[in-house]
Amino acid sequence: MFKTFIKFWKRNFLLNYHFLFSFIFIIVGIYWVFFGIAKADAFEWGFDATWFSLGFLHSCAIKTDWSGVCWGLNTDWQSNFPSGTNYKYVSAWTYHSCAIKTDWSGVCWGKNDYWQSNFPTGTNYKYLSVGSGHSCAIKTDWSGVCWGKNDYWQSNFPSGTNYKYLSVGSAHSCAIKTDWSGVCWGSTWEWQANFPSGTNYKYVSAWYRHSCAIKTDWSGVCWGDTFPTGTNYKYVSAWTYHSCAIK
């Protein structure tokens, strides 16, 4: 009986795969409604924001009064944005979020099983990006630092003081340097950490199995995936199985 079931599962893997994930999302939805793991009351329709970040099942934003707000899934308090009116930048992932304050210090909240929410002390951080189990930031001296999960060396930020932008994925991270070249580190089993050579990159987005970048001529490129042709793109965001760009 068991062997017959395994053979049936293998023959119908794709169908069962979608059924399984549909079932999981149904269960999450039931929890969401009946057990209060979603923080829906935090969202205020129509507020003005200076910055926002979309996580997997929650989102966060910085308001024009420099306070912050999150809404969505809150199983690990990832939507509990700290009080105060001194926040200038925020980044959200699945189970944790981090923000940069106006005094250039940082704070994280949510899941901390890999210490990904242990923002380093100091008042010298200007930009950050959070991933699945790790987080990274660029300092005011243009150097970088990562903390959290490091099973693929995704938290081993390269040395140097020449980094101006970064994006953290699931198990890899990427950064743009001040000379417009790029570098990635961490998992590369789908070549998602193989940043193309050149000194003509201005923006990068890293996610699960692929990464994408916008070049200085406004064209785009992905590695681990493909990017549409054209030289009229100004922003890109990579997700698990798809990517989107602004022209």
Side-chain angles (χ1 to χ4, degrees):
M1 176 71 72
F2 181 74
K3 290 182 178 180
T4 302
F5 172 77
I6 293 298
K7 289 180 180 179
F8 174 80
W9 180 272
K10 288 181 178 180
R11 286 198 303 268
N12 298 274
F13 173 77
L14 191 59
L15 176 63
N16 291 320
Y17 174 83
H18 288 292
F19 174 78
L20 177 61
F21 274 86
S22 297
F23 178 76
I24 291 173
F25 276 105
I26 290 172
I27 296 300
V28 170
I30 292 173
Y31 253 81
W32 199 320
V33 173
F34 292 102
F35 293 93
I37 64 172
K39 187 178 178 182
D41 59 344
F43 184 70
E44 303 172 19
W45 292 100
F47 71 82
D48 293 325
T50 62
W51 189 267
F52 68 92
S53 179
L54 306 181
F56 181 53
L57 289 174
H58 80 293
S59 305
C60 298
I62 303 295
K63 299 182 181 181
T64 52
D65 66 354
W66 304 109
S67 64
V69 60
C70 295
W71 59 96
L73 191 71
N74 201 33
T75 51
D76 293 274
W77 300 280
Q78 64 266 46
S79 292
N80 284 13
F81 205 118
S83 60
T85 55
N86 58 339
Y87 299 97
K88 63 185 307 178
Y89 182 80
V90 65
S91 181
W93 190 267
T94 306
Y95 297 113
H96 79 293
S97 312
C98 297
I100 299 287
K101 298 182 179 181
T102 52
D103 67 353
W104 304 108
S105 65
V107 61
C108 296
W109 58 97
K111 199 168 186 177
N112 199 32
D113 51 340
Y114 295 104
W115 299 281
Q116 66 267 40
S117 292
N118 284 14
F119 204 114
T121 58
T123 55
N124 58 338
Y125 301 96
K126 63 184 305 179
Y127 185 80
L128 85 158
S129 180
V130 302
S132 178
H134 72 296
S135 309
C136 299
I138 291 180
K139 299 182 178 182
T140 52
D141 66 354
W142 305 105
S143 66
V145 61
C146 295
W147 59 98
K149 196 172 183 178
N150 199 33
D151 51 341
Y152 291 100
W153 300 280
Q154 64 266 42
S155 291
N156 286 12
F157 205 116
S159 60
T161 55
N162 57 339
Y163 299 96
K164 61 187 303 180
Y165 183 81
L166 79 138
S167 181
V168 175
S170 179
H172 76 293
S173 311
C174 298
I176 300 293
K177 298 182 179 182
T178 52
D179 66 355
W180 305 107
S181 65
V183 62
C184 293
W185 59 98
S187 174
T188 188
W189 56 289
E190 292 282 353
W191 298 282
Q192 67 267 41
N194 288 10
F195 206 116
S197 59
T199 55
N200 58 338
Y201 299 97
K202 62 187 306 178
Y203 182 82
V204 65
S205 179
W207 195 256
Y208 178 43
R209 293 182 176 181
H210 72 292
S211 309
C212 298
I214 299 295
K215 298 182 178 182
T216 51
D217 67 355
W218 303 108
S219 65
V221 62
C222 291
W223 49 102
D225 203 344
T226 57
F227 198 102
T229 58
T231 55
N232 57 340
Y233 300 97
K234 62 187 302 183
Y235 182 86
V236 64
S237 180
W239 197 254
T240 306
Y241 295 111
H242 73 291
S243 307
C244 296
I246 300 293
K247 293 185 175 181

